[in-house]
Amino acid sequence: MYTGAIVLQGKLKKAFYNHFMLLVFAVRILACAETCQTLNDKASQLLKKLVTDYATLYGQHLISYNVHSLIHLPMFSMVHGPLDSFSAFRYKNYLQYIKKSLKSTKYPLQEILNRIVEKQKTDNSKFDLYPQLPHLSKEIHQHSLSFLELSDTVYRKYSLIRTNTTIDTLKEKDKYFMLDDNALVLIVNIVKSKDNSIKFFVKKYLNCKEFYNGPVISSLVIGMYKIKTNEISDIYCVNERNLKHKYFCVSVGNNLAIMITLCHEINM
């Protein structure tokens, strides 16, 4: 979903890498609520080509049931929505919570069930009390932002409970975003004004190109960019409504980085 295309580039022969990218592009299309509908036919083409070329590259005998089943994913996405709606993605991620909840090996199933029930009760009460509210935290008391008013308050972290999105100006994984005008930005400061409005001060990357242009589709369609990290704008202000997608950023050296969208939209 995120690192495979970067890690394997230059490590696989071109034919094998292009074949792998068919899977990457198809899955990313189907993982997004918008593109799983608008680009469903394209995902179907990619997966059919993936299975057809699989026999040539790896051998007919290795086309297992799991490989063949990939061609049916677009149909299920049309019915049920993005892959997260019906796949095991979230369950796999949840296994780490289950593992940490075990304190004894005597009655593991009972213990897991008790912890899950406790968590559900806690989460339900929390969301009943604070429905859909964003949350500011980690106030920054010492700063040198000359453009702010005296009544402005600077924070490091902003959480959107509605879409489970975190913005953190000091964490690499939480400060890269795409705006509604498709600009790729770095969030530098989070500011709360006297009137309680929230402003995000950002810097825009000025040199953004497609990461990969294969024989079937451009990476721009699924939100994969190659950027020059040293070519960046002056700071300017946006609000929450301007934030469209959160991005995953990987530095590859020489002032270059790869930015990849996390698929779900922030403001839904």
Side-chain angles (χ1 to χ4, degrees):
M1 285 288 287
Y2 303 111
T3 57
I6 302 169
V7 172
L8 295 178
Q9 192 175 44
K11 303 295 189 298
L12 291 179
K13 290 182 179 180
K14 189 173 181 180
F16 290 90
Y17 182 76
N18 287 341
H19 184 253
F20 173 70
M21 291 302 287
L22 295 173
L23 179 63
V24 172
F25 278 42
V27 170
R28 291 187 61 80
I29 287 172
L30 297 177
C32 175
E34 179 184 351
T35 56
C36 76
Q37 303 291 322
T38 60
L39 296 177
N40 192 275
D41 288 343
K42 177 60 71 175
S44 182
Q45 293 173 23
L46 293 170
L47 291 173
K48 286 177 181 176
K49 181 170 175 57
L50 174 83
V51 175
T52 301
D53 293 352
Y54 203 97
T56 305
L57 293 172
Y58 298 102
Q60 183 74 35
H61 64 290
L62 290 177
I63 301 182
S64 64
Y65 172 78
N66 285 342
V67 174
H68 172 78
S69 294
L70 291 171
I71 65 176
H72 299 293
L73 287 180
M75 177 190 67
F76 288 118
S77 286
M78 285 297 287
V79 176
H80 301 293
L83 295 182
D84 277 351
S85 302
F86 62 92
S87 75
F89 286 179
R90 292 183 180 180
Y91 176 74
K92 185 176 180 181
N93 193 50
Y94 197 64
L95 287 177
Q96 59 183 316
Y97 169 79
I98 292 176
K99 183 178 178 181
K100 290 177 182 178
S101 70
L102 285 174
K103 305 301 180 185
S104 169
T105 58
K106 193 171 183 181
Y107 300 109
L109 292 179
Q110 292 90 328
E111 187 174 2
I112 289 170
L113 176 61
N114 290 336
R115 298 296 83 77
I116 291 174
V117 170
E118 289 171 4
K119 186 174 187 298
Q120 287 175 339
K121 288 180 178 178
T122 303
D123 288 348
N124 287 338
S125 62
K126 178 181 68 174
F127 284 115
D128 287 342
L129 290 171
Y130 307 105
Q132 311 293 321
L133 292 180
H135 178 65
L136 284 162
S137 59
K138 300 187 182 295
E139 182 178 345
I140 299 174
H141 297 281
Q142 294 183 344
H143 59 80
S144 57
L145 305 177
S146 58
F147 51 82
L148 297 184
E149 303 289 338
L150 289 175
S151 57
D152 289 342
T153 308
V154 181
Y155 291 89
R156 167 186 158 183
K157 191 173 180 180
Y158 184 80
S159 302
L160 280 166
I161 298 174
R162 183 179 66 254
T163 52
N164 194 29
T165 302
T166 298
I167 302 170
D168 191 323
T169 58
L170 294 186
K171 284 193 174 181
E172 283 293 310
K173 69 185 183 73
D174 292 323
K175 60 183 180 180
Y176 300 101
F177 287 80
M178 174 181 274
L179 303 183
D180 52 2
D181 62 357
N182 293 329
L184 296 177
V185 301
L186 163 69
I187 296 185
V188 181
N189 299 111
I190 303 168
V191 177
K192 182 180 180 181
S193 300
K194 186 178 181 180
D195 62 358
N196 290 325
S197 63
I198 308 298
K199 296 179 288 188
F200 300 95
F201 288 87
V202 304
K203 291 185 177 182
K204 174 183 175 181
Y205 290 105
L206 303 175
N207 190 332
C208 305
K209 300 177 180 178
E210 62 185 7
F211 165 71
Y212 169 87
N213 187 5
V216 181
I217 192 173
S218 167
S219 64
L220 299 182
V221 176
I222 58 167
M224 297 178 69
Y225 296 82
K226 183 184 293 184
I227 65 167
K228 282 276 191 178
T229 55
N230 60 335
E231 296 184 26
I232 197 166
S233 74
D234 293 330
I235 197 167
Y236 66 99
C237 179
V238 300
N239 58 46
E240 184 193 314
R241 282 189 170 186
N242 298 126
L243 302 178
K244 184 179 179 182
H245 287 290
K246 190 173 183 178
Y247 265 68
F248 173 83
C249 185
V250 179
S251 176
V252 292
N254 296 323
N255 296 316
L256 280 176
I258 310 301
M259 293 185 74
I260 306 173
T261 179
L262 297 187
C263 294
H264 71 278
E265 290 196 358
I266 297 168
N267 293 300
M268 301 172 67

